[in-house]
């Protein structure tokens, strides 16, 4: 990728706002919790972020004054619920900068979004010998659905390799893309490494051969201003719970031209036009892909999470997190026994490492006793572990409420680990 | 630093995890099993030589893992030698009750395994301590299934 392309990728989330971290922290009651007698330092945001009052209050407001089933009642509450739900869809549309609201499908999360594309688009379009390109740094949820559909359609999953910094080898990608390529599935931000991938460039190359791109934005959503119009990607999935929203809700964005031609994913209520025993016809998008009573309340909560991010300023959030990342890199670089994984030029939100002489699992336990929550293990990215020939890393991942002092606390706890292990 | 951490990561544990005993291949083995902890990627392979009277004559292991699982495997291999299958199973039951804190009776004598009893205060780590045992018993019982903590 060219340097200007990199810059452009970066500029979209490098804002200039100043963040009042104390004011932000006051909106997250859980941050006052004590863990093993210590103040909580929550650095496991990549797994799931905590929720601001704006989100939990939106949930209880919805249940207290708006709830009924959607799209099927003739009564006032059903109207209110439908309006709240469809309003959340419009917020989500704006959040990813989609052209049309019906391009937003509410799903359980990234995993369901990716499976939906594999099942519906993949099953319809893939022929024996067709190729699905999947990057080496994908979360298992952007690998396994493609393997499943490849098995059933006779198509082939091929890996787009990365280098030791955790950056996609663009030349290799260029060589892999061919007339056989139907789908390119790639993560926007890698959960195990923090790499921000050149989605726009990868998409435009895929489009040259008529392939579609499926973007996993689970880790990008909390850190990067999403813009599907600019990226020109064909599908993009994300999870609400990683971006300050409730669990159990996420969105799949798909281009209208594609979604409207795709067969249903699940069958049931809401997704039909007419049902007879001779056969059924299906509703238009997005409802065709939302069989059954949807997760109305959490969709509303998801909308509140988007609004929380706008109010805080996505650029401001990104800039704050970038300064945390710079700080953690700077401190880690001074430690001979720390090995970092993920040293791409563009990174967001994630610091993964190992410590000589202490297994990641033990680090996790020792940090936890000091109140510091990180994740240890393979991070659902076993091919990444294999690339580096390791079984596990420790990972600190950031949200807007984290502070430099919390990073110091993490490093203090690492000193305790060294002391215990005598290294 | 907190006492329960010191109780968990005693010097003996750290020593066993760094210099595991009975580590390597057992050429004479007549049974083996693999154990994995999919959560953290730990894996170990255990090989045993069990004689006609179901007595464990020798046992060795290879693998990688956290300090708790390596130390547990190392200490276990020291203790299993010359135990009958039934004795090994009984010892594991005592050890398991100790590390899960489930026992209501007098603490049983678990010998050297005592050093691992600090695991009791760390429920998420109990599986690390018990995986080698599950794997060993699977090997002795001739099970081909991979043992997993999940
Ligand atoms: C990059 C990435 N993709 C996909 C997922 C799966 O998200 P979910 O479990 O919310 O469906 C995750 C979450 O761990 C992730 O980090």
């Amino acid at each position: 990728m060219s340097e200007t392309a990199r810059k452009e990728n970066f500029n979209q989330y490098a804002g200039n706002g100043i963040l009042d971290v104390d004011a932000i922290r006051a909106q997250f009651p859980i941050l006052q919790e004590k863990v093993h007698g210590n103040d909580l330092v929550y650095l496991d945001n990549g797994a799931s972020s905590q929720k601001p009052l704006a989100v939990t209050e939106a949930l209880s407001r919805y249940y207290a004054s708006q709830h009924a089933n959607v799209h099927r009642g003739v009564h006032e509450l059903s109207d209110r619920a439908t309006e709240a739900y469809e309003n959340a869809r419009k917020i989500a549309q704006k959040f990813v900068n989609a052209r049309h609201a019906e391009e937003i499908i509410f799903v359980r999360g990234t995993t369901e979004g990716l499976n939906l594309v594999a099942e519906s688009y993949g099953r319809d379009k893939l022929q024996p010998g067709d190729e699905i390109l999947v990057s080496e740094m994908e979360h298992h949820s952007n690998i396994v659905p493609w393997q499943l559909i490849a098995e059933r359609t006779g198509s082939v999953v091929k890996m787009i390799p990365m280098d030791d910094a955790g950056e996609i080898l663009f030349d290799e990608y260029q060589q892999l893309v061919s007339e056989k390529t139907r789908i390119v599935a790639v993560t926007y931000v890698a959960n195990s490494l923090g790499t921000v991938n050149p989605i726009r460039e990868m998409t435009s190359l895929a489009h040259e051969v008529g392939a579609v791109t499926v973007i996993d934005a689970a880790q990008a959503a909390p850190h990067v201003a999403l813009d599907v119009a600019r990226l020109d990607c064909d599908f993009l999935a994300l999870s609400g719970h990683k971006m300050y929203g409730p669990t159990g809700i996420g969105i799949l964005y798909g281009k209208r031209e594609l979604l409207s031609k795709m067969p249903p994913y699940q069958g049931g209520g809401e997704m039909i036009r007419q049902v007879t025993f001779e056969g059924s016809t299906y509703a238009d998008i997005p409802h065709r892909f939302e069989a059954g009573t949807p997760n109305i309340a959490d969709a509303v909560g998801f909308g509140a999470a988007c609004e929380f991010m706008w109010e805080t300023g996505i650029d401001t959030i990104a800039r704050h997190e970038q300064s945390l990342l710079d700080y953690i890199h700077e401190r880690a670089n001074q430690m001979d026994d720390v090995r970092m994984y993920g040293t791409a030029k563009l990174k967001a939100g994630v610091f993964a490492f190992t410590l000589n002489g202490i297994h990641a699992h033990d680090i996790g336990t020792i940090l936890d006793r000091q109140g510091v929550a990180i994740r240890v293990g393979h991070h659902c990215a076993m091919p990444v572990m294999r690339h580096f020939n390791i079984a596990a890393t420790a990972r600190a991942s950031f949200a807007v409420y984290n502070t430099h002092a919390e990073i110091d606390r993490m490093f203090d706890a690492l000193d305790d680990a060294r002391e215990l292990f005598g290294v | 630093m907190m006492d329960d951490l010191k109780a968990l990561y005693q010097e003996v544990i750290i020593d066993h995890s760094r210099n595991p005993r009975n580590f390597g291949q057992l050429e004479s083995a007549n049974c083996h099993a693999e154990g994995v902890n999919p959560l953290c990627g730990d894996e170990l392979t255990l090989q045993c030589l069990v004689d006609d009277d179901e007595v464990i004559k020798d046992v060795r292991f290879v693998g990688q893992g956290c300090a708790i699982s390596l130390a547990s495997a190392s200490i276990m291999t020291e203790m299993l030698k010359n135990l009958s299958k039934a004795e090994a199973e009984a010892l594991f039951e005592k050890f398991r009750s100790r590390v899960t804190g489930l026992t209501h009776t007098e603490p049983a004598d678990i010998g050297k395994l005592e050093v691992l009893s600090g695991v009791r205060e760390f429920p998420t780590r109990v599986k690390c301590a018990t995986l080698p045992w599950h794997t060993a018993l699977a090997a002795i019982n001739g099970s081909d299934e991979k043992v997993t903590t999940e």
Side-chain angles (χ1 to χ4, degrees):
Chain A
M1 196 186 9
S2 72
E3 205 49 43
T4 39
R6 272 187 203 298
K7 283 231 171 65
E8 195 187 323
N9 233 341
F10 185 78
N11 281 341
Q12 66 165 318
Y13 68 90
N16 297 305
I18 303 293
L19 188 76
D20 181 350
V21 186
D22 288 340
I24 293 284
R25 292 181 69 84
Q27 299 177 53
F28 290 82
I30 205 169
L31 299 178
Q32 305 309 315
E33 285 292 303
K34 297 274 183 212
V35 170
H36 304 299
N38 293 301
D39 291 338
L40 168 66
V41 173
Y42 189 75
L43 294 173
D44 193 19
N45 298 286
S48 196
S49 73
Q50 300 302 343
K51 319 303 170 200
L53 290 170
V55 168
T56 52
E57 282 167 4
L59 286 174
S60 53
R61 209 164 40 241
Y62 168 78
Y63 280 126
S65 62
Q66 298 172 302
H67 175 69
N69 212 325
V70 288
H71 303 303
R72 41 180 98 158
V74 291
H75 52 78
E76 164 69 17
L77 281 183
S78 179
D79 268 355
R80 287 190 204 169
T82 305
E83 195 183 314
Y85 182 63
E86 293 305 327
N87 184 51
R89 196 188 308 277
K90 292 199 189 95
I91 294 174
Q93 174 198 351
K94 200 171 145 202
F95 189 74
V96 300
N97 195 27
R99 279 185 198 86
H100 314 284
E102 67 265 29
E103 294 181 316
I104 304 297
I105 296 158
F106 280 117
V107 289
R108 238 172 359 107
T110 309
T111 303
E112 190 179 42
L114 297 170
N115 276 280
L116 193 161
V117 181
E119 275 295 317
S120 174
Y121 185 84
R123 192 182 50 201
D124 203 36
K125 292 276 192 267
L126 290 168
Q127 302 287 332
D130 283 351
E131 292 178 358
I132 307 164
L133 306 184
V134 176
S135 97
E136 189 175 5
M137 67 182 93
E138 296 309 305
H139 187 280
H140 296 161
S141 65
N142 205 17
I143 301 176
V144 183
W146 303 115
Q147 291 174 328
L148 290 171
I149 202 68
E151 214 169 279
R152 279 195 287 153
T153 56
S155 51
V156 184
V157 175
K158 288 199 165 170
M159 185 186 85
I160 310 166
M162 65 177 184
D163 62 17
D164 291 344
E167 292 186 336
I168 289 207
L169 288 164
F170 208 85
D171 291 349
E172 306 247 352
Y173 169 59
Q174 228 151 355
Q175 274 167 19
L176 279 167
V177 173
S178 76
E179 295 300 321
K180 288 190 201 157
T181 312
R182 286 285 151 270
I183 295 169
V184 176
V186 57
T187 193
Y188 200 161
V189 173
N191 71 312
S192 55
L193 300 165
T195 312
V196 181
N197 283 317
I199 300 302
R200 198 158 78 126
E201 290 73 11
M202 292 184 76
T203 299
S204 86
L205 202 62
H207 286 172
E208 280 176 24
V209 296
V212 297
T213 50
V214 183
I215 308 307
D216 174 350
Q219 294 296 336
H223 312 295
V224 179
L226 298 175
D227 186 346
V228 294
R230 197 188 69 85
L231 298 173
D232 198 28
C233 58
D234 300 284
F235 300 96
L236 178 141
L238 58 84
S239 301
H241 71 94
K242 293 184 197 283
M243 45 165 281
Y244 312 107
T247 54
I249 192 78
I251 59 167
L252 171 69
Y253 157 83
K255 279 185 181 158
R256 185 164 70 177
E257 312 84 270
L258 297 168
L259 285 179
S260 58
K261 295 199 192 86
M262 282 158 53
Y265 169 51
Q266 295 177 328
E270 298 281 348
M271 53 74 70
I272 46 87
R273 181 164 291 144
Q274 200 169 33
V275 176
T276 69
F277 276 93
E278 285 70 50
S280 303
T281 52
Y282 307 116
D284 288 336
I285 61 166
H287 304 292
R288 185 189 309 161
F289 296 105
E290 293 181 356
T293 299
N295 188 351
I296 313 163
D298 293 319
V300 171
F302 176 84
C306 296
E307 284 171 339
F308 166 79
M309 288 186 68
W310 285 327
E311 271 161 34
T312 312
I314 295 178
D315 288 353
T316 308
I317 296 171
R319 200 176 131 93
H320 174 68
E321 290 165 344
Q322 203 64 45
S323 91
L324 295 172
L325 201 53
D326 290 346
Y327 180 61
I328 210 165
H329 283 170
E330 189 187 305
R331 285 208 57 182
N333 274 329
Q334 291 160 5
M335 297 168 187
D336 291 339
D337 59 350
V338 170
R339 163 130 199 234
M340 262 161 56
Y341 296 87
T343 48
K345 287 182 207 73
L346 276 180
K347 276 184 68 174
V350 169
F351 169 70
F353 67 101
T354 53
L355 195 64
N356 283 349
I358 312 182
H359 190 278
H361 213 177
D362 297 310
I363 293 175
T365 293
I366 296 165
L367 264 55
D368 173 58
R369 287 287 144 153
Q370 315 295 349
V372 180
I374 60 162
R375 180 161 175 196
V376 298
H378 54 60
H379 314 286
C380 302
M382 286 176 127
V384 172
M385 300 300 117
R386 183 156 137 193
H387 179 102
F388 292 107
N389 198 20
I390 49 176
T393 66
R395 179 187 76 177
S397 51
F398 308 122
V400 62
Y401 39 71
N402 290 126
T403 65
H404 293 72
E406 287 183 314
I407 290 171
D408 290 337
R409 285 267 313 276
M410 183 189 88
F411 282 117
D412 289 348
L414 280 182
D415 281 338
D416 291 341
R418 292 185 180 99
E419 190 188 319
L420 272 173
F421 275 71
V423 294
Chain B
M1 203 188 316
M2 316 192 68
D3 290 342
D4 47 4
L5 275 179
K6 287 193 177 133
L8 180 65
Y9 293 108
Q10 296 181 30
E11 252 168 65
V12 187
I13 303 264
I14 308 279
D15 174 54
H16 272 275
S17 74
R18 280 219 188 104
N19 311 295
R21 322 295 194 262
N22 302 305
F23 194 85
Q25 302 291 340
L26 180 63
E27 299 301 337
S28 59
N30 56 7
C31 57
H32 81 284
E34 286 168 54
V36 290
N37 182 341
L39 276 187
C40 49
D42 289 355
E43 51 191 28
L44 80 162
T45 301
L46 220 119
Q47 293 176 299
C48 313
L49 173 65
V50 180
D51 72 9
D52 292 343
D53 302 325
E54 294 202 320
V55 173
I56 302 161
K57 300 313 285 182
D58 205 354
V59 49
R60 293 176 76 80
F61 79 104
V62 290
Q64 50 161 347
C66 63
I68 307 301
S69 66
L70 286 179
S72 176
S74 171
I75 299 168
M76 176 188 77
T77 55
E78 289 189 320
M79 297 193 65
L80 282 183
K81 260 177 234 180
N82 295 319
L83 291 193
S84 71
K85 188 175 129 185
E87 285 167 336
E89 280 168 355
L91 181 58
F92 176 47
E93 270 321 305
K94 284 193 232 167
F95 175 59
R96 180 157 60 180
S97 338
R98 179 67 65 85
V99 292
T100 50
L102 287 179
T103 176
H104 299 294
T105 52
E106 278 290 289
D109 179 15
I110 55 171
K112 272 189 185 174
L113 291 168
E114 200 69 53
V115 293
L116 281 158
S117 53
V119 173
R120 197 175 41 218
E121 303 301 325
F122 297 81
T124 58
R125 305 304 300 277
V126 169
K127 286 172 180 169
C128 306
T130 55
L131 176 66
W133 286 87
H134 286 296
T135 311
L137 295 179
I140 299 163
N141 286 312
S143 158
D144 285 339
E145 290 271 312
K146 216 177 212 186
V147 177
T148 148
T149 54
E150 294 311 300

